[in-house]
Amino acid sequence: MTEEERDQLARTWRDAPGLWGFLTTVDHKRIAARYVLTTIAMMFLAGMLALDMRLQLIKPGMERMGPQEYNESFSLHGSTMLFLVSVPVMEAMGLWLVPLMLGQRNVAFPRLSAFSYWLYLGGVLMLWVPHALGITPDLGWFEYPPLSGPAYSPGHRADIWAQMITFTEVAALAASVNLAATILKMRPPGMTLARMPLFLWAMLVASLMTILALPAVMLVTSMLIADRLVSTAFFAPVAGGDTLLFQHLFWFFGHPEVYIIFLPAVGFVSAIVPTFARRPMFGYRAMVLSIAAITVLAFGLWVHHMFAVGLPRIGNSFYTVASMAIALPASLQIFCWIATIWSGHPRFDTPMLWVAGFLATFVIGGLSGVMAASAPLDLQLTDTYFIVAHLHYVLVGGAMFPLFGALCYWYPKATGRMMSERWGKLSFWLIAGGFNLGFFPMHILGLMGMPRRVYTYPAEMGWGTLNAIASAGSAIAVLGGLLLVTNAWWSYRHGRAAGDNPWDAATLEWAAASPPPAHNIDLVPVIHDMVPLWSQRDELDAMEGLASDKREVLVTSVIDAEPLYRQHSAGPSLWPLISALAVTVLFVGSIFTPWALVWGAVPVGAALTAWFWPTRQRATSGPLGRARR
Amino acid sequence: MRKALFLLLPRSGCAGRQTPLDPASLQSGQLWSLFQVMLWVCGIAYVLVLSFLGWSIWRARHAMERASPMLNPGDRGIGRGLWGWGVLVGVGLIVLTVASFLADWSIARAERAGALDIRVTGHQWWWRIQYRDRQSGGWIETANELHLPLGRAAHVSLGSADVIHSFWVPNVAGKMDVIPGRVNSLTLTPWRVGWFRGQCAEFCGSQHAHMAFDVKVESPQGFATWLADQRKNVAAPTDPITAQGQKVVTQGPCAACHTLRGTSAQGRAGPDLTHLASRRMLAAGALPMSRGGIQGWVAQPLALKPGTSMPAVPLSSSDAKAVSAYLASLQ
């Protein structure tokens, strides 16, 4: 590629400067960056709520928080962490990484990714602006009726919670459709499904799971709003409804959701381990089959959240078996990661420390999950601090630790600078150590009879000491978190220059510059195995033929990644933002009156029509080029 | 094993009275045995995983510079290891599943006809407890305190008057939710006498943290005596102060929500007070039973349990003393 062509390519893909560029960009990296930063801000807020709760529980009979304040805290903490942090951050990391790992210039639907972020931001505001105004949802992160129904929850708190979910679920669906289409149809020539990096497998199935699971929660929260707003009786037994319908529909989403969070983390670990163990992942086929097995099984487990509601024994037994079964593919993955480390030449830089922390911590969460999988035993464990411990071990150990490792690992690619190793290691030990100190005692507290969601407890129960230890550990972990964020912020300006491939990794994202230009990479790479940057060290094979003067991406076939055609890629546009604003008005209005659905549909329809108005030529914009060499 | 876990339970107050680790019944005994099997199997699994990880880190302890990548590692040996590990995990999961089934089956078999018939209804934030009275065909009612005879199966029907709660007394059984529109059931077969504590285990609103109840397992004779006493109507007042108290309670606002059997007070919104003072605790475990406690509760329920449905009833000082004297006499 000549210098001239390169300049033209950069110009074609560059955003407008300033605020207009910020609002109209469809650059997946910029959108993903603001997505990740927003989720980190939300994680900080949720963490502050958690510290507040831990301070309230540090000793029995504390009076600094009354029940209303405490109930709001745990509801906001759980809802923020699950709906506004865990799922969105995984999608955001996918949004940033997927095109780079595929050697492509953008995702399949660029404007849809912008829409996804704006709608997610709407969800953030939907929950936190009312909190600032004092109308915080206060019934937990899965507000069961009848408590959340019109009779026992007057006002709009429950509606705010339910509609926040709608925002985030539409955003998640948009992101998932985008990622799935990109991974299936936009791989570089030579990257057959059998040679696709495990991270992309993980993102693909997480996206497919999202598409199947999220409609259930949108449906159930809309049914709740309908019960509250227009006197339907989906969940009101006195009028012929069934409270358990809510639980079934919610958990049909809720259980896959935790795997939607966990599988991208599996992808992170599977990207980090080969790089630092200096060998390709052991057991690629076993890993892919395990990922697929987890995906399928995840949809057959939801009743294990309902073992105490009095369903027939035989039904509970089925879900016991299914819940136990999912431990098998997970355990095979654990073996494959450790075997890769064992048989390689590992170095334990910060990202690998996070992998080790993940292995040591997540397995505890998995084992407490195996205990809770037994329906009869779960009747002693569920709704106690044992389950609080379990869920944090799997979500923090199983998703957050890999996420922190991933942030450290790809930080040099995103910013062009290295994070400080020393502060990175210190923040790891503080977070991992603090977390285990804080949450392991909760297993014991649950076995000592402490139920969940209590704003205080009597001194006579003997729970004070372990609660104090739990509070201390949590504080240490938060300190480590602050250190990690400070490290990231400081290294942005003062970190050592990183170069393109500071870890000497094998996958395609490391072929781009650090940070990548708007067009990501000059030529579409052609690969022949799973470790292109190791086996084609001198120069990557590439494919010519994509235009430099218009935005184009290469579309390839699903299984074998044979090049099919050049696809025009959508450029910057304000319509995703305007559409998101219109949808926001519709969603917010519909918790006050059902007519909002009718009248709100008009601006939404207008914005979407403007967005999709055909102004550009159709696809297949020219002949395909030829692979060099 | 039980002793080791007991070291976790400090020897004070209610410690040990609300825990699945100290079973007092057939049901929680089964679950305790199951838990021990789980601990062993899961403990061994964790040690294996951590040892493998530790070994990998140990092998790498001399790595200094970044090694060049191995493009074609020979993996046959590890492949066999993967199969072996898969089989081991599979066997472990089967063992745990079978253990779980066996526990469940034993608990199911303990449900039998001729059991004591008890009805428990969850309210925000107290428990209505009713015993089937074979003699009259009706129900003997109390609140927040459940008595059980040793060695006899008690069949508890569980319902809710408002939102979802969960009935959990871990020393005696696993929990069961109480769900409006649905009747759940639990069988309790206690095998040890003593006092145990239960607590609501499903978030049910503002005072979820203060919805406890007591369970007393006693000898069959002790239980029969207690039930016979509970069957009786209110004791007649014995002095002018308690007589004044009865007058205020039955003719004042208390009667709108509370029942005192044998008087005109027949309200059903709040707990039955006929034998209030025979109970160990007040306000669903919020306070120990005492005359002062009753007086404080009646004067300021919202101060003790913010959000409670019981309103503060303004009473003159002499009425307040009379009411608390009367209620404290209701053994």
Side-chain angles (χ1 to χ4, degrees), chain B residues 73-93:
Chain B
D75 279 340
R76 174 135 342 122
I78 318 178
R80 280 195 280 260
L82 178 63
W83 276 104
W85 172 246
V87 168
L88 190 65
V89 168
V91 166
L93 291 174

Side-chain angles (χ1 to χ4, degrees), chain A residues 278-279 347 360 382 447 449 460, chain B residues 14 19 46 64 67 75 175:
Chain A
R278 312 307 290 149
R279 55 152 293 170
R347 270 174 53 99
T382 191
L447 292 169
E460 311 83 74
Chain B
C14 306
T19 171
Y46 190 61
M64 291 296 165
D75 279 340
K175 63 184 62 72

